[in-house]
Amino acid sequence: MTAASPSILIVGAGAIGALYGSALSRQGTQVSVVCRSDYDHVQQHGYAIRSVVLGDHVFRPHAVLRDVSQRASPPDYLLLTVKVLPQVDRAALIKPAVGPDTVIVLIENGMDIEAEIAAAFPNNELLSALAFVQVSRTGQGDIVHQALGSLSLGRYPSGTTPAAQRLAALFDASQFNCALTDAVVTARWQKAVWNTAFNPISVLGGGLDTEMMLRTSDNQALIRRAMEEVCAAAAAAGHALHPKLVDRMIADTRALPGYKTSMAVDYENGRPMEIEAILGNVVRSGRKNGVAMPTLETLYALAQMVENRLNVPR
Amino acid sequence: MTAASPSILIVGAGAIGALYGSALSRQGTQVSVVCRSDYDHVQQHGYAIRSVVLGDHVFRPHAVLRDVSQRASPPDYLLLTVKVLPQVDRAALIKPAVGPDTVIVLIENGMDIEAEIAAAFPNNELLSALAFVQVSRTGQGDIVHQALGSLSLGRYPSGTTPAAQRLAALFDASQFNCALTDAVVTARWQKAVWNTAFNPISVLGGGLDTEMMLRTSDNQALIRRAMEEVCAAAAAAGHALHPKLVDRMIADTRALPGYKTSMAVDYENGRPMEIEAILGNVVRSGRKNGVAMPTLETLYALAQMVENRLNVPR
């Protein structure tokens, strides 16, 4: 890794990748992107980003690649920001760009999403990151960053490293606060409490935002039960969470304007949803440890039905 | 009540009302109907019925009324076949046609749907009936009867009566087997085991038929858990059901071709769904008796969200 300015390759540069890539690029780092669906547009025009933090601007990556294999030399950091879907082999996707010294950084949703990458690249440093951000792709190369933006970053499965510190410092300098954690799996469980409840319910309720999901006391009770089951699964997996976490998350969510989850946005656009990463892996972890999760089991079975339904012509 | 041939008024003659009205009319009974939405068409052309049991035929009621108050003399039997919805005051709807000797007969879905009518007409005989039938309205006055057709009938809250026997005999003669029961509330709970599971899941899964709902073992497990919770609520309400009922219902349903529930059909046509009658009343009964119903509670909260979503512009 060069001392002055690391090279960064973002694989799957949609909303998350473009926003953070732009932020890092402004710190003088060389940021290239791999983006398949918007390749022609981004290659020609870059990303048009409207951000509550960075302002309106155009982000022109150092290089725009259609495919990872087009990369000549391995990057210092490879940031993986693709959706975690059963049909996407993420290890195979990034393999051509991973050199012996490349630090792999996952900025992705879901639980237990690291093991597959750790197994495929046992000699590479693997960092896991959580993004607390509301950002959407609204069209070819068009990114709208509505709110928040902070990150949490640590070595997988635990600890921190100089490379993690360096990347966190770059994010911090870019106006996106990045907290280092030496317990990133616990942090991931904590985020799962929100994600695993709100995401499937937003879809099963017919495409709801957070305000709609918290409107009635029956609905709030459902969100709470789902969250508490995630806490129980987390505790059984050795990651006890703060006893007030659920209260705090519901109160915080109610204080913010209504927000559509990533799964609801995917659902409404007919795109595959991260059901396994966000919900299925939590359920499997709880099952393994004998945790009763009747609410999550119901949400999971229903979400699978919806996913299968979307793949069947009416 | 006349000895030879009773007069019958069917209020809310959609698919169910038209099919059974036609069957009774063929027995020489005088059958009139109140139908609001299809009034002009039915008044002019009658109902065009395609039935697996009665064959293709046209049913011309004795009288077609737009409103119950148009009825000059009270009928011997008033058959109520409207959907049970919170926004529909069924007692007020039928009041103008209920005479002192009118027998009120409910052929409607749901649990605990009788008490409201019993309270409004304490001096009238009240019969409660369950229809095991697949019949749909496919257009103005167009009725398609796909399968089944038997009925179960008893006095509410229990027992049988000569009027019940007489009506059952008329149905029997019409090729629709009608079983008399002296425990109609138990029979209603039994039907609820199927309805309360399959109806909301068919909607929440995105508009599924029974075959789709039973495709995977995870999905079957969900149906089974929901059914078992209804059985627990029934038992707690004093209506213990057969221990093999759930197994039998799932096996029977798998043996039949895929079938869309009434709630899924309503959902897909943007019509109000019988969430309270079919699901909410079961949940309330279970809650009152301290029954744990985590699956039904989840389905209920989600179904309410979907219903509210349908009433909010996107």
Side-chain angles (χ1 to χ4, degrees), chain A residues 200-201 204-208 212-216 218-220 222-223 225 229 260 267-268 287 294-295 297-302 304-309 312-314, chain B residues 200-201 204-208 212-216 218-220 222-223 225 229 260 267-268 287 294-295 297-302 304-309 312-314:
Chain A
I201 291 171
L204 295 168
L208 305 181
M212 290 163 163
M213 282 186 271
L214 293 169
R215 199 170 282 170
T216 73
D218 266 13
N219 295 355
Q220 281 178 36
L222 172 64
I223 295 279
R225 284 196 305 276
E229 290 177 15
K260 284 253 169 107
Y267 168 70
E268 295 190 336
R287 281 181 190 165
T295 308
E297 291 277 7
T298 301
L299 297 177
Y300 184 39
L302 292 171
Q304 288 174 302
M305 287 185 192
V306 170
E307 179 89 354
N308 293 337
R309 185 77 180 93
V312 173
R314 275 183 187 245
Chain B
I201 291 171
L204 295 168
L208 304 181
M212 288 164 164
M213 282 185 271
L214 294 169
R215 198 170 284 170
T216 73
D218 266 11
N219 295 355
Q220 281 177 37
L222 172 64
I223 295 278
R225 284 196 305 274
E229 289 176 16
K260 283 258 169 105
Y267 167 70
E268 294 189 336
R287 281 180 190 164
T295 308
E297 291 278 6
T298 301
L299 297 177
Y300 184 37
L302 292 171
Q304 288 174 300
M305 288 186 192
V306 169
E307 180 87 356
N308 293 337
R309 185 77 181 94
V312 173
R314 278 185 183 242

Side-chain angles (χ1 to χ4, degrees), chain B residues 54-65:
Chain B
L54 303 179
D56 293 6
H57 66 286
V58 171
F59 165 42
R60 292 195 175 273
H62 176 74
V64 179
L65 312 175

Side-chain angles (χ1 to χ4, degrees), chain B residues 13 33 35 38-47 59-61 64 140-141:
Chain B
V33 301
C35 81
D38 291 1
Y39 173 78
D40 289 330
H41 185 97
V42 172
Q43 168 70 26
Q44 220 176 328
H45 306 286
Y47 293 94
F59 165 42
R60 292 195 175 273
V64 179
Q140 291 262 322

Side-chain angles (χ1 to χ4, degrees), chain B residues 103-106 114-115 117-118 124-128 154-157:
Chain B
V103 177
I104 303 171
V105 187
L106 310 182
E114 301 95 342
I117 305 296
N124 286 80
E125 190 174 321
L126 177 58
L127 305 180
S128 187
R155 178 181 172 275
Y156 177 81

Side-chain angles (χ1 to χ4, degrees), chain A residues 5-314:
Chain A
S5 174
S7 64
I8 293 177
L9 177 66
I10 300 181
V11 177
I16 293 263
L19 179 68
Y20 289 119
S22 178
L24 293 170
S25 166
R26 291 172 155 213
Q27 300 314 304
T29 57
Q30 189 204 83
V31 178
S32 299
V33 302
V34 177
C35 80
R36 240 182 304 206
S37 47
D38 292 0
Y39 172 78
D40 289 330
H41 184 97
V42 172
Q43 167 71 24
Q44 220 177 330
H45 306 286
Y47 292 95
I49 299 179
R50 282 181 288 153
S51 164
V52 289
V53 171
L54 304 178
D56 293 6
H57 66 285
V58 171
F59 165 43
R60 293 194 175 273
H62 176 73
V64 179
L65 312 175
R66 195 191 291 275
D67 197 270
V68 177
S69 60
Q70 293 183 301
R71 172 89 189 184
S73 60
D76 295 324
Y77 290 94
L78 187 153
L79 273 53
L80 184 58
T81 57
V82 296
K83 282 203 289 186
V84 180
L85 299 169
Q87 62 269 35
V88 176
D89 183 340
R90 294 178 299 141
L93 182 68
I94 63 174
K95 197 171 191 348
V98 176
D101 298 321
T102 298
V103 176
I104 303 170
V105 187
L106 310 182
I107 312 184
E108 298 176 301
N109 270 325
M111 278 309 303
D112 289 333
I113 61 160
E114 299 97 341
E116 177 188 343
I117 305 296
F121 305 99
N123 300 316
N124 285 82
E125 190 173 322
L126 177 58
L127 305 181
S128 186
L130 302 166
F132 301 87
V133 63
Q134 295 181 4
V135 59
S136 317
R137 175 191 170 282
T138 53
Q140 290 261 322
D142 277 336
I143 309 296
V144 177
H145 170 212
Q146 300 108 318
L148 309 175
S150 69
L151 293 148
S152 182
L153 175 72
R155 177 180 173 275
Y156 177 81
S158 64
T160 59
T161 68
Q165 286 165 17
R166 194 176 183 198
L167 185 61
L170 279 174
F171 276 121
D172 275 340
S174 81
Q175 304 182 57
F176 287 122
N177 181 260
C178 182
L180 277 175
T181 172
D182 57 8
V184 76
V185 175
T186 306
R188 211 166 257 285
W189 271 110
Q190 185 163 321
K191 195 176 184 207
V193 173
W194 198 98
N195 271 338
T196 306
F198 279 100
N199 273 284
I201 291 171
S202 67
V203 169
L204 295 168
L208 305 181
D209 66 21
T210 49
E211 191 275 328
M212 290 163 163
M213 282 186 271
L214 293 169
R215 199 170 282 170
T216 73
S217 57
D218 266 13
N219 295 355
Q220 281 178 36
L222 172 64
I223 295 279
R224 177 175 295 276
R225 284 196 305 276
M227 285 182 156
E228 281 165 358
E229 290 177 15
V230 180
C231 290
H239 300 274
L241 304 177
H242 194 284
K244 291 276 182 212
L245 179 65
V246 170
D247 285 340
R248 213 165 54 212
M249 278 186 171
I250 290 178
D252 288 354
T253 306
R254 294 187 72 187
L256 286 171
Y259 171 63
K260 284 253 169 107
T261 67
S262 65
M263 215 183 260
V265 172
D266 285 339
Y267 168 70
E268 295 190 336
N269 289 287
R271 297 191 298 243
M273 301 179 284
E274 294 181 303
I275 290 170
E276 298 307 329
I278 290 177
L279 179 55
N281 288 350
V282 169
V283 167
R284 273 180 286 276
S285 175
R287 281 181 190 165
K288 202 176 64 188
N289 295 316
V291 178
M293 306 164 294
T295 308
L296 297 185
E297 291 277 7
T298 301
L299 297 177
Y300 184 39
L302 292 171
Q304 288 174 302
M305 287 185 192
V306 170
E307 179 89 354
N308 293 337
R309 185 77 180 93
L310 294 178
N311 298 324
V312 173
R314 275 183 187 245

